[in-house]
Amino acid sequence: MDQEKFYYDNRIVKYFLYATLFWGVIGMLVGILAALQLVWPELSFNTAMTTFSRIRPLHTNAVIFAFVGNAIFAGTYYSLQRLCKARMFSDTLSYIHFWGWQLIIVSAALTFLAGYTLSKEYAELEWPIDLAITIIWVIFGWNMFGTLLKRRTRHIYVAVWFYIATFVTVAVLHIVNSIEIPVNFLKSYPVFAGVQDALVQWWYGHNAVAFFLTTPFLGLMYYYLPKAANRPVYSYRLSIIHFWALIFIYIWAGPHHLLYSSLPDWAQTLGTVFSIILIAPSWGGMLNGLLTLRGAWDKVREDPVLKFFVVAVTAYGMSTLEGPLMSTKTVNAFTHFTDWTIAHVHIGALGWNGFLTFGMLYWMVPRLFGTQLFSRKLANTHFWIGTLGILFYAIPLYWAAITQTLMWKEFTPDGFLKYPNFLETVTQLIPMYAARAFGGLLYITGVIIGVYNLVKTVTHGKFIRDEAASAAPLDTISGRRIQGESRHRWLERKPVQFMIVSLVVILIGGLVEIIPTWLIKSNVPTIASVKPYTPLELEGRDIYIREGCYTCHSQMIRPFRSETERYGEYSKAGEFVYDHPFQWGSKRTGPDLAREGVKSGRLYKPDSWHYNHMDDPRKLNEQSIMPRYSWLLRNRLNSCTTARKISVMQKLGVPYPEGYAEQANDDLSIQAQQIADGLKSAGIEVRSDKEIIALIAYLQRLGTDIMEGR
Amino acid sequence: MDIIQHHLETIPGISIYPVISFVLFFIVFVVMIIHTFSIDKKTIHEMKNIPLEEMEENNQ
């Protein structure tokens, strides 16, 4: 057979690789700012854009979609071409993908800072950007399948299966979780509400971890680890089982984010059981990775690339054991809403994603530039500082989590909460938060050393833009199964059919999880006294969303005595039916606010207190770490879209009376005036059209509905 | 609260969902294992060496 000559496109790899480094440094710096803001709240600078609750989503999104995202694409574009023995299907698509993705990142950063957010974690982006993501993602898939169809190898190597599963699943997740109705160009409401919205969101959130932070990286592991060690993967059989078991099981486990919440019990149980089963394929994958290095440990001692890989794969093993443990109700009761979760994700992000990325970059850059790594010693320094950074990051947070959860749950012998003041449990943690910030600082120091090392490598080498290769073309064989070929073997050479089977596999889990919740819609126990928000409360709620209060406050009281004592009656599914989107939150840096407005409740505060507290929390609680939101006292409430918001809510099934939209603004003014008058009698002069008025209206409404019914 | 419980329990066939899930999972898993172990040694060897072969040919 004649050999065909062709060229690999290295330039697209280089682009994504530079973007990885660039956004990695930015994303981590923003993370350090967020960490420091929890120690010194003044660092929020009393400016909306730089306030913790806008910085945190910027950090998470930058790290996940900009740093890790670009790393996935760099790694995929390099390995896919080589595994297919073909250049990418279309250079044009490659570069549309690249620039499109960077544009999305920039618009994400700008809109987050400006307060445009859906408040659904890791899916905060507003609808036009969601749309852009869909288009760019399809372009990526198109390019990938085009390449697969013109490949010169028969069998599709297992790494590529992981890329394919990543592509289809992320597409499904993104689309389902982003079904929203626009109010205007940068504001929309998700079609789901309350329990349903929570379930869809965490089905998404969990699987974003699975199919954005895990499967693509497993694909990269199955390519780069054997390459760097120059030996094949330990067991190819195990990798096949690993693949199917992983993608099948992962999709079911989402509800483990909602244990003890108002989600139906059967769904919670499903989440727990599948999370536990998930240990098996995850550890199968980890062992497969580590055992690939058996008998080559002397190499690991020498080669920084392998060192990074070993720690990455070990971190993967740790987080995939810890995750299922956190999915059991017993452990979850202690870890949920605490810093444990933050420590857990950072073992994954810094260890698994970060270290695998840097290992891969150290391996790839010298090859792209036809040279040696500038300094092995610096790479080793990066490795050690980074590893220390991970430990310094995680250990204080585990410690903080244990300290705080025990304080939350401790009772005096007389049966009262030992620490009834929530703030006391926060103040304890400040030294740990400082240590965590130091850990982050160490980690990024390593990264900067890495960037320097790679830049030096680049300047010493000469970039091989188009790398020559040759291979025999595939002789066309029947698209159908040939004699003696098993179904799976056939599938392994048919990328499109392979994608469809993967799609079916993940849809089964998705549907079994989500369909029953749709059925629940008509069944979610409607509590007669639960009423839609008034127009002013709705506007206040949108301010709460815009400012990102959910990054520190939950609105979900779990049925534990320690919580009902502290916050009031536990939350019921029926209370959230008009919450588009839900605001349960996932982290309690401040107290739960689900019953904030209940007059007879433990947390109740008068309007004037809220007014002063939002202006400067430290005026009322000297040690508070909540940021100031004093612009809310100055900003005028924009009520131009109130009517439109009401009509969109009506479309979503919120039972406002017919024609209410026209009346909404009048009602809004009346309610606002009442609150302003109330504040006046408490000695606070404020015009009724300020944003703070709407926010107070919302806070005072929280949790009150079911009390009305009594 | 009883009302809530009652409604959830009366969604038609709710208890069957976890059971379906398990059966499905089990079938998929067993089929996968059987298939995987039926691949012959030579093919496995070829497949797992794919990433390494390419190096010999192209990276001179």
Side-chain angles (χ1 to χ4, degrees), chain A residues 6-117:
Chain A
F6 56 93
Y7 296 90
Y8 294 130
D9 181 3
N10 279 348
R11 197 171 63 145
I12 187 68
V13 181
K14 181 176 85 171
Y15 276 29
F16 275 119
L17 198 149
Y18 287 171
T20 307
L21 292 174
F22 177 75
W23 293 119
V25 171
I26 303 240
M28 290 175 211
L29 280 176
V30 175
I32 290 187
L33 175 61
L36 292 173
Q37 286 171 335
L38 290 181
V39 184
W40 293 291
E42 297 76 18
L43 291 177
S44 280
F45 303 113
N46 194 20
T47 306
M49 289 222 178
T50 47
T51 293
F52 174 84
S53 46
R54 292 198 189 174
I55 290 294
R56 192 203 108 127
L58 181 65
H59 163 63
T60 52
N61 280 273
V63 167
I64 298 174
F65 299 108
F67 170 59
V68 173
N70 278 306
I72 293 171
F73 299 135
T76 306
Y77 274 84
Y78 184 92
S79 58
L80 183 69
Q81 297 186 73
R82 280 142 183 100
L83 288 170
C84 289
K85 293 204 167 109
R87 192 184 175 88
M88 287 308 295
F89 168 68
S90 154
D91 284 10
T92 315
L93 291 182
S94 301
Y95 292 97
I96 294 177
H97 175 197
F98 175 80
W99 288 111
W101 195 254
Q102 311 315 314
L103 208 65
I104 287 169
I105 294 170
V106 172
S107 39
L110 295 177
T111 52
F112 284 155
L113 289 176
Y116 298 103
T117 170

Side-chain angles (χ1 to χ4, degrees), chain B residues 26-41:
Chain B
F26 201 72
I27 295 173
V28 171
F29 196 71
V30 168
V31 170
M32 265 321 300
I33 301 256
I34 293 176
H35 156 72
T36 309
F37 283 91
S38 66
I39 307 174
D40 64 89
K41 265 217 166 79

Side-chain angles (χ1 to χ4, degrees), chain A residues 418-439:
Chain A
K418 176 115 183 258
Y419 304 98
N421 179 1
F422 186 91
L423 188 56
E424 269 183 280
T425 75
V426 180
T427 313
Q428 284 293 322
L429 312 183
I430 304 301
M432 272 80 105
Y433 284 168
R436 174 265 294 269
F438 176 69

Side-chain angles (χ1 to χ4, degrees), chain A residues 415-459:
Chain A
F416 296 106
L417 285 171
K418 176 115 183 258
Y419 304 98
N421 179 1
F422 186 91
L423 188 56
E424 269 183 280
T425 75
V426 180
T427 313
Q428 284 293 322
L429 312 183
I430 304 301
M432 272 80 105
Y433 284 168
R436 174 265 294 269
F438 176 69
L441 215 57
L442 279 182
Y443 191 88
I444 200 173
T445 308
V447 170
I448 288 166
I449 295 173
V451 172
Y452 171 77
N453 200 358
L454 290 171
V455 168
K456 278 291 190 190
T457 310
V458 164
T459 48

Side-chain angles (χ1 to χ4, degrees), chain A residues 77-212:
Chain A
Y77 274 84
Y78 184 92
S79 58
L80 183 69
Q81 297 186 73
R82 280 142 183 100
L83 288 170
C84 289
K85 293 204 167 109
R87 192 184 175 88
M88 287 308 295
F89 168 68
S90 154
D91 284 10
T92 315
L93 291 182
S94 301
Y95 292 97
I96 294 177
H97 175 197
F98 175 80
W99 288 111
W101 195 254
Q102 311 315 314
L103 208 65
I104 287 169
I105 294 170
V106 172
S107 39
L110 295 177
T111 52
F112 284 155
L113 289 176
Y116 298 103
T117 170
L118 281 166
S119 78
K120 299 180 49 148
E121 288 181 64
Y122 325 121
E124 290 95 339
L125 292 168
E126 266 300 349
W127 68 272
I129 307 179
D130 278 344
L131 216 62
I133 294 175
T134 313
I135 296 169
I136 294 299
W137 195 255
V138 168
I139 285 179
F140 165 54
W142 179 8
N143 206 7
M144 176 160 76
F145 281 98
T147 313
L148 280 164
L149 290 174
K150 63 170 215 182
R151 73 190 188 280
R152 299 185 177 81
T153 49
R154 180 77 64 208
H155 176 76
I156 300 175
Y157 182 67
V158 67
V160 181
W161 306 4
F162 281 98
Y163 304 157
I164 295 176
T166 300
F167 168 71
V168 269
T169 316
V170 169
V172 172
L173 293 168
H174 173 69
I175 291 169
V176 174
N177 195 40
S178 307
I179 307 178
E180 55 227 13
I181 300 194
V183 173
N184 59 28
F185 180 58
L186 281 173
K187 173 78 194 163
S188 63
Y189 292 123
V191 294
F192 309 108
V195 175
Q196 266 189 316
D197 193 39
L199 187 76
V200 173
Q201 157 61 22
W202 284 113
W203 168 76
Y204 164 89
H206 169 71
N207 288 302
V209 172
F211 289 89
F212 206 84

Side-chain angles (χ1 to χ4, degrees), chain A residues 192 374 546:
Chain A
F192 309 108
F374 168 68
R546 181 189 77 195

